[in-house]
Amino acid sequence: MSTRDLDVAKVMGELRAGIRKARTAVVHPTDNGISANEAHRRVTSVAENSSSEAVAAEIATLHQGYDIVRPPFYSHRRIIGRAIIVAKNLARELLLQILARQVNYNGATARVVTHLQREVESLRSELEQMRAQTETYRDLLRANIRAASSTADGERKREGSRLNLDLENFQFEQEHHGSEADVTERQRPYISWFEGRSDVLDIGCGRGEFLQLLRQAGISHQGVDANPEMVEHCHRKGLKVTRADAIEFLAELPDGSLGGIFCAQMIEHVDSSFVMALVHLCHRKLRSGGVLIVETPNPGCLTTFTEAFYKDFTHVRPYNPASIKHCFKSAGFEAIEIKFGSPVDSSVRIATLNGSTGLESETFNRGIERLNDLIYGYQDYAVIGRKGAAGSP
């Protein structure tokens, strides 16, 4: 069949029919023709089902179909199909400028939709991260609230335990540390170190025995103790005593404001770091020429442990005299001395060989004396140091 045999009117009729059909159906070689109703249904479905797979599929379709100029035409008609294709290609050439604008618009729409989809996915990822972080923070907050509540309960219990322990310590002091009269006599020799001085502080003043000696000597004084029972007992005696931690109390005092510091039977209740800090802080708070005296049980006497030290369950550890002396020296104290006191009753000492002569007897007796000194020696010792003048080493 030649082109001369073509019926132009028939061909134009076919073209018009094709245009009317195109209004209701989109023909594309990759989607087998999706009707307008089907396209609308798919858009609605994607809007309702926002899964990433469905959206990705729709975007892929958008990219495949944005070019309405390049795809070839097809016809199922055997006789005039070629003529129809020729006519369609001719019509496309005539409409090329309009179709090109449409292609550009379709391409821009596809790119914008793709960009928006990527932004949505990014925002969705960030939202999931924020949700996970929110869950983590919520769990952490709940844990902190539980911990805070538990800590508060524990603190209340500990405070109650401390109050009971303070009362027990006061009762223990009354029963096992000797009467106030006995303690006063044991501490009386220390008064001579503070004569002519003022503003003497008694750290861990307990029942106030040494404060009473200072008052009798006319030396201005004050005390500090952490035990409320001890503090109340001192207040009943009219003594100036503050309930506080020793380190915190000293830290609040001006440097160089004290003429002397006395601390008896206290450091064995605390650890070594506290002792080091306390001695150094005392040096700062003393005036030039001020005196620090620290008394504590003597670990060089074994009776100390069997009779006294481990009887008191608030004792932490004993301190060797050489260690405390070194602590004084490192803090800057001068003319440091060690004084031993509270000797064990001599009646319990091991007897030596009397009336015997010779090297063996003398050697035996020397051994017995060393053993007596180790077992039945001095139960307490005191380290005494002075703060030198400003600028002294």
Side-chain angles (χ1 to χ4, degrees), residues 80-129:
I80 62 172
R82 186 177 299 175
I84 292 174
I85 292 173
V86 170
K88 288 182 178 180
N89 286 328
L90 178 61
R92 182 166 60 185
E93 290 298 325
L94 294 175
L95 299 174
L96 188 60
Q97 291 185 351
I98 298 175
L99 294 177
R101 292 178 61 186
Q102 185 64 44
V103 168
N104 291 337
Y105 176 81
N106 293 347
T109 301
R111 289 190 296 272
V112 169
V113 171
T114 303
H115 173 73
L116 292 176
Q117 174 59 20
R118 290 173 180 171
E119 289 295 318
V120 169
E121 291 298 329
S122 177
L123 291 174
R124 182 180 289 113
S125 176
E126 292 179 6
L127 180 60
E128 290 300 322
Q129 293 178 4

Side-chain angles (χ1 to χ4, degrees), residues 250-251 253-258 281 284-286 387:
L250 275 174
L253 296 178
D255 291 353
S257 62
L258 299 174
L281 194 55
R284 278 178 45 197
K285 302 305 174 178
L286 284 171
K387 181 174 181 179

Side-chain angles (χ1 to χ4, degrees), residues 199-203 222-224 240 242 246-261 281-282 284-286:
D199 303 316
V200 175
L201 174 66
D202 186 354
I203 296 177
Q222 63 175 318
V224 59
K240 181 182 178 182
T242 302
I247 295 291
E248 295 176 359
F249 182 81
L250 275 174
E252 295 295 325
L253 296 178
D255 291 353
S257 62
L258 299 174
I261 300 175
L281 194 55
C282 286
R284 278 178 45 197
K285 302 305 174 178
L286 284 171

Side-chain angles (χ1 to χ4, degrees), residues 51-360:
S51 66
S52 57
E53 295 82 1
V55 174
E58 291 301 326
I59 291 177
T61 301
L62 184 63
H63 278 276
Q64 293 172 359
Y66 81 90
D67 188 353
I68 60 175
V69 174
R70 302 295 188 275
F73 291 118
Y74 298 91
S75 177
H76 61 279
R77 298 181 181 277
R78 297 180 180 179
I79 300 176
I80 62 172
R82 186 177 299 175
I84 292 174
I85 292 173
V86 170
K88 288 182 178 180
N89 286 328
L90 178 61
R92 182 166 60 185
E93 290 298 325
L94 294 175
L95 299 174
L96 188 60
Q97 291 185 351
I98 298 175
L99 294 177
R101 292 178 61 186
Q102 185 64 44
V103 168
N104 291 337
Y105 176 81
N106 293 347
T109 301
R111 289 190 296 272
V112 169
V113 171
T114 303
H115 173 73
L116 292 176
Q117 174 59 20
R118 290 173 180 171
E119 289 295 318
V120 169
E121 291 298 329
S122 177
L123 291 174
R124 182 180 289 113
S125 176
E126 292 179 6
L127 180 60
E128 290 300 322
Q129 293 178 4
M130 291 176 65
R131 286 175 178 170
Q133 291 176 355
T134 300
E135 290 293 328
T136 300
Y137 293 148
R138 185 174 62 183
D139 293 342
L140 182 60
L141 180 59
R142 288 174 176 171
N144 288 339
I145 291 174
R146 288 193 298 269
S149 177
S150 176
T151 301
D153 292 340
E155 185 60 31
R156 285 192 292 270
K157 292 178 181 177
R158 284 192 294 272
E159 181 64 24
S161 299
R162 280 195 296 268
L163 292 174
N164 292 332
L165 184 60
D166 290 336
L167 181 58
E168 291 179 3
N169 288 344
F170 179 77
Q171 294 172 345
F172 185 87
E173 185 92 6
Q174 296 287 75
E175 296 174 7
H176 299 283
H177 285 183
S179 66
E180 292 187 42
D182 291 339
V183 173
T184 298
E185 292 308 310
R186 287 202 301 266
Q187 294 182 349
R188 189 179 298 277
Y190 296 123
I191 284 292
S192 61
W193 296 94
F194 299 102
E195 289 177 350
R197 304 180 189 280
S198 60
D199 303 316
V200 175
L201 174 66
D202 186 354
I203 296 177
C205 60
R207 296 175 297 187
E209 292 94 343
F210 194 70
L211 291 175
Q212 287 181 296
L213 289 171
L214 290 170
R215 182 166 61 184
Q216 293 170 7
I219 301 171
S220 58
H221 57 276
Q222 63 175 318
V224 59
D225 200 292
N227 188 320
E229 296 294 329
M230 300 293 187
V231 173
E232 181 60 29
H233 184 73
C234 289
H235 287 171
R236 287 194 292 267
K237 296 180 178 181
L239 299 171
K240 181 182 178 182
V241 176
T242 302
R243 180 191 175 189
D245 173 83
I247 295 291
E248 295 176 359
F249 182 81
L250 275 174
E252 295 295 325
L253 296 178
D255 291 353
S257 62
L258 299 174
I261 300 175
F262 182 70
C263 180
Q265 305 297 318
M266 193 277 282
I267 65 171
E268 64 273 12
H269 295 267
V270 295
D271 60 32
S272 57
S273 61
F274 186 99
V275 176
M276 291 288 289
L278 179 67
V279 173
H280 281 71
L281 194 55
C282 286
H283 187 271
R284 278 178 45 197
K285 302 305 174 178
L286 284 171
R287 292 192 283 267
S288 297
V291 174
L292 171 64
I293 299 178
V294 174
E295 183 193 74
T296 190
N298 178 24
C301 175
L302 298 184
T303 301
T304 299
F305 300 106
T306 59
E307 295 296 329
F309 192 86
Y310 289 117
K311 187 185 293 184
D312 189 338
F313 45 77
T314 64
H315 284 169
V316 174
R317 56 161 296 179
Y319 290 94
N320 189 283
S323 300
I324 302 303
K325 183 177 180 180
H326 175 76
C327 183
F328 271 55
K329 185 176 180 180
S330 68
F333 285 98
E334 303 175 4
I336 304 170
E337 303 177 48
I338 298 178
K339 299 290 185 179
F340 291 93
S342 303
V344 177
D345 187 352
S346 60
S347 63
V348 301
R349 294 173 70 90
I350 304 173
T352 58
L353 296 176
N354 295 323
S356 300
T357 60
L359 182 60
E360 291 184 359

